[in-house]
Amino acid sequence: MKFTREELAAWLARDNFDEIYAQADAIRRESVGDVVHIRALLEFSNHCKRLCRYCGLNAANQSATRFRMDPRDMVETAREAWEAGYKTIVLQSGEDSWYTADLLGEVVKQIKRTGMKITLSCGELPESVYRYWKDCGADRYLLKHETSDPKLYAELHPDGTLEERVSCLRTLKRLDFETGGGFMIGLPGQTLDTIAGDLLLLQEIGCDMAGIGPFIPHPDTPLRDTPGGSTELTKRAVALARLLLPKANLPATTALGVLDSAQKQGVFSCGANVIMRKVTPNRLKKLYQIYPASFSEADIRAGRLETEAEIRALNRTPV
């Protein structure tokens, strides 16, 4: 579907959004079915060279206890996830140059032998690195653009530009990755027009997946005193993303569940069709804090079963 920026902003401002939620749910059912894809999320390093002002992993946060997983442990954790029923694993980290292209490429090759699909989320990198990881077997790459407003982007990312971020996304798409973008709701200075621009950027790039979640302030960042984002507005953005990208994978983000667990379930009736479950070792889960969040200490298999039960309770089929 094609909509103007003005139309999207006006829809986001509606008093009653029920009609659009219903339309998004119908398109979701027709385009991607009644299944919910459960992705294993492995956070393997919280070292990051970037200074993003909203993120608890930023290099200036001296309070963070840093960690790096041994590549052998990463592969073993992925194998456990495969045995527990996961078909896709997301390998996520800060921008950490300790993991060279060759090192992470070897991890991808070894995990790929299980038959799993592999999503990487390791930040902005040269085209040659992305291409190498694609050759190693990586299927998807997640790189949220966070905001489509160049001025706001620059305020939040003192060591990066929106142009650079979008260039990486276009490169990933050209290299035939299933390309994931996304943004936050509730950033200081954000408007409904900004969000409309975010949605149109996802469509323009042709994103195959999009993570849309509320901003949650981290106490050890410059935005510690900024209010969190609206869960209702987040759901509205997800619904409109489904209208713009009918076949995309749209997750119910962890951040949405942090603010309101009921809303995390409710977003599945507004267009979402994916959920991520952490398989990060328990001793490390609490250290990977982009924003403050609680976490389950269930083992990988038990966690998978818990999530499957939650999905079945929504009359959906977990896969």
Side-chain angles (χ1 to χ4, degrees), residues 112-127:
K112 196 68 179 179
R113 291 172 189 156
T114 65
M116 295 183 91
K117 296 284 188 180
I118 299 173
T119 301
L120 294 174
S121 182
C122 307
E124 296 179 20
L125 291 158
E127 179 176 342

Side-chain angles (χ1 to χ4, degrees), residues 27 39 79 181 190 199 237 259 307:
I27 291 174
R39 314 293 199 202
R79 286 177 178 154
Q190 185 183 65
L199 289 163
L259 292 184
T307 304

Side-chain angles (χ1 to χ4, degrees), residues 10-287:
W11 281 7
L12 289 165
R14 283 190 177 189
D15 290 333
N16 189 313
F17 211 74
D18 290 349
E19 179 183 344
I20 298 173
Y21 282 144
Q23 187 176 359
D25 194 42
I27 291 174
R28 184 272 312 156
R29 186 179 299 109
E30 179 182 348
S31 299
V32 296
D34 283 328
V35 300
V36 174
H37 299 276
I38 311 174
R39 314 293 199 202
L41 174 62
L42 177 58
E43 301 147 328
F44 64 90
S45 170
N46 68 349
H47 286 261
C48 191
K49 67 182 181 182
R50 301 295 290 263
L51 296 169
C52 306
R53 298 180 73 241
Y54 50 82
C55 181
L57 306 190
N58 80 81
N61 180 8
Q62 299 300 311
S63 299
T65 301
R66 305 290 178 172
F67 73 88
R68 291 185 176 106
M69 284 186 69
D70 185 285
R72 292 168 296 184
D73 293 335
M74 293 169 63
V75 174
E76 181 57 33
T77 301
R79 286 177 178 154
E80 285 186 50
W82 171 255
E83 290 168 0
Y86 289 98
K87 297 181 176 66
T88 293
I89 190 163
V90 182
L91 304 179
Q92 185 176 72
S93 70
E95 293 201 13
D96 183 3
S97 56
W98 186 88
Y99 293 89
T100 63
D102 288 342
L103 182 60
L104 200 52
E106 186 59 33
V107 170
V108 169
K109 289 177 184 177
Q110 292 189 44
I111 294 175
K112 196 68 179 179
R113 291 172 189 156
T114 65
M116 295 183 91
K117 296 284 188 180
I118 299 173
T119 301
L120 294 174
S121 182
C122 307
E124 296 179 20
L125 291 158
E127 179 176 342
S128 59
V129 175
Y130 291 148
R131 182 182 291 109
Y132 176 67
W133 288 343
K134 188 74 169 64
D135 291 342
C136 289
D139 303 279
R140 306 180 178 108
Y141 201 98
L142 177 60
L143 184 67
K144 294 183 179 181
H145 67 265
E146 305 301 5
T147 176
S148 61
D149 181 330
K151 182 174 181 294
L152 180 54
Y153 189 97
E155 290 172 356
L156 296 171
H157 306 85
D159 51 356
T161 68
L162 178 62
E163 182 180 10
E164 292 166 345
R165 180 61 59 104
V166 172
S167 176
C168 285
L169 283 164
R170 297 193 195 285
T171 295
L172 290 162
K173 187 70 177 177
R174 178 164 46 79
L175 293 175
D176 204 29
F177 277 94
E178 289 186 38
T179 302
F183 55 92
M184 286 181 282
I185 298 292
L187 291 168
Q190 185 183 65
T191 66
L192 296 182
D193 181 71
T194 310
I195 297 170
D198 290 327
L199 289 163
L200 289 174
L201 180 58
L202 294 175
Q203 186 181 47
E204 179 194 342
I205 292 170
C207 286
D208 304 285
M209 49 187 177
I212 302 171
F215 164 71
I216 299 176
H218 191 290
D220 297 321
T221 66
L223 300 187
R224 63 179 67 87
D225 297 322
T226 305
S230 162
T231 55
E232 171 61 23
L233 191 54
T234 300
K235 288 170 57 183
R236 291 183 176 204
V238 171
L240 290 174
R242 176 58 69 197
L243 269 59
L244 293 168
L245 298 164
K247 295 184 178 180
N249 285 317
L250 302 178
T253 61
T254 305
L256 190 59
V258 169
L259 292 184
D260 189 332
S261 59
Q263 293 287 9
K264 185 175 179 180
Q265 304 303 322
V267 76
F268 285 112
S269 63
C270 306
N273 70 315
V274 173
I275 191 168
M276 294 189 189
R277 178 83 191 210
K278 290 191 179 193
V279 297
T280 308
N282 284 331
R283 63 186 174 83
L284 303 178
K285 283 179 182 175
K286 64 182 178 181
L287 303 180

